[in-house]
């Protein structure tokens, strides 16, 4: 089974930087592109990063994505209280013809 | 402005059926793959199903395969999810989401609706 694993929670102070990891259960992540989403309860999820490291229009450059081997990372700099949300990585697995989301990471800005 | 408006959610008994709709506007609907994603209470996002821009290709999560059917009417700019033989574990907020890239595979979901709640309970 294809699984994306994220830490359940991360925290940092306002103005600081935080990273959220997303690791894959097998080597597929090396071939699949990763996207990242921000989800505040009661609102629609928002696409932050696609194709591992690209930002859609309107997403500030405080958000960045990277991938190395079987692990992808979302970075957020200049943390703001408004960044408190759940963050999900996701991908489309071509061999399974299925989309997969990570379990989500709750970001707390202390 | 891209808008996605889900409807059709509600209370349904186990074993029953429900059809969700997603009315799209603000973009050329027929050029983009579309998707359904759900979130059960207290849980994370779970991909449910995707459909290609012309409707020729459909994809399903194992958890709904054989019970749910995704379809689209490009003349009405509407996406559907027919939910049959529903189970308690299908209780969730259901979101429709648009694919980012024109004529792309369903991979990056750039616009999402506000969701419609489905509750499966007797």
């Amino acid at each position: 089974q294809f699984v994306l694993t994220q830490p359940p929670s991360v925290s940092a102070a306002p103005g600081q930087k935080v990273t959220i990891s997303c690791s894959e259960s097998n080597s597929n992540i090396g071939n699949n592109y990763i996207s990242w989403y921000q989800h505040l309860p009661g609102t629609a999820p928002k696409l932050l990063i696609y194709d591992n490291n690209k930002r859609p229009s309107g997403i500030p450059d405080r958000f960045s994505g990277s991938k190395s081997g079987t692990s992808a990372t979302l970075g957020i700099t200049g943390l703001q209280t408004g960044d408190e949300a759940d963050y999900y990585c996701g991908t489309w697995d071509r061999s399974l013809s299925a989309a997969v989301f990570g379990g989500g990471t709750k970001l707390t800005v202390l | 402005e891209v808008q996605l408006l889900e409807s059709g959610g509600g209370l349904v008994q186990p074993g029953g059926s429900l059809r969700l709709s997603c009315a799209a506007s603000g973009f050329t609907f027929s050029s983009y793959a579309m998707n359904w994603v759900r979130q059960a209470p207290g849980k994370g996002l779970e991909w449910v199903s995707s459909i290609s821009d012309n409707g020729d290709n459909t994809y399903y999560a194992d958890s709904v395969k054989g019970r749910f059917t995704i379809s689209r009417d490009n003349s009405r700019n509407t996406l559907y999810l027919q939910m049959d033989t529903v189970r308690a574990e299908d209780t969730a907020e259901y979101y429709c989401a648009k694919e980012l890239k024109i004529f792309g595979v369903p991979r990056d979901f750039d616009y999402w609706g506000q969701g419609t709640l489905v509750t499966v309970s007797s």
Side-chain angles (χ1 to χ4, degrees):
Chain A
Q1 187 180 358
F2 180 53
V3 176
L4 296 176
T5 300
Q6 300 179 233
S9 63
V10 296
S11 62
Q16 297 301 303
K17 174 181 178 177
V18 71
T19 60
I20 299 173
S21 63
C22 173
S23 62
E24 200 260 333
S25 56
N26 60 46
S27 61
N28 278 2
I29 202 172
N31 301 317
N32 294 333
Y33 289 98
I34 294 294
S35 52
W36 289 93
Y37 301 87
Q38 177 192 63
H39 191 202
L40 284 77
T43 69
K46 178 189 293 185
L47 178 66
L48 297 175
I49 298 289
Y50 68 97
D51 288 357
N52 300 328
N53 55 18
K54 298 176 183 175
R55 285 187 308 277
S57 129
I59 300 300
D61 59 8
R62 299 190 300 109
F63 296 90
S64 64
S66 65
K67 183 175 73 66
S68 177
T70 59
S71 182
T73 301
L74 173 70
I76 311 173
T77 59
L79 276 172
Q80 304 169 1
T81 55
D83 295 331
E84 283 204 339
D86 296 318
Y87 291 83
Y88 296 87
C89 59
T91 191
W92 177 263
D93 187 271
R94 286 169 290 184
S95 60
L96 297 175
S97 290
V100 179
F101 288 101
T105 299
K106 182 175 181 61
L107 168 63
T108 301
V109 180
L110 302 168
Chain B
E1 178 191 5
V2 172
Q3 290 194 331
L4 298 171
L5 183 62
E6 302 96 338
S7 61
L11 177 64
V12 57
Q13 292 188 338
S17 297
L18 206 61
R19 188 176 85 155
L20 306 183
S21 299
C22 172
S25 62
F27 65 102
T28 305
F29 182 71
S30 59
S31 296
Y32 293 88
M34 294 295 295
N35 314 274
W36 288 100
V37 178
R38 68 185 180 184
Q39 184 176 35
K43 303 293 186 182
L45 299 177
E46 179 189 14
W47 171 75
V48 174
S49 183
S50 298
I51 187 168
S52 60
D53 48 84
N54 60 8
D56 283 354
N57 298 301
T58 58
Y59 312 92
Y60 298 93
D62 287 344
S63 58
V64 306
K65 199 172 294 183
R67 300 187 299 119
F68 291 9
T69 303
I70 191 171
S71 62
R72 63 191 297 161
D73 185 339
N74 285 348
S75 68
R76 296 177 181 269
N77 291 347
T78 304
L79 174 72
Y80 302 101
L81 184 68
Q82 177 67 39
M83 305 170 61
D84 296 319
T85 320
V86 297
R87 305 166 180 165
E89 53 265 36
D90 295 322
T91 293
E93 190 82 27
Y94 283 74
Y95 298 95
C96 70
K98 169 189 166 292
E99 166 57 29
L100 170 69
K101 297 175 181 173
I102 191 168
F103 302 128
V105 296
R107 187 174 75 192
D108 306 301
F109 309 155
D110 63 339
Y111 285 94
W112 300 60
Q114 290 298 315
T116 186
L117 181 62
V118 172
T119 303
V120 182
S121 175
S122 55

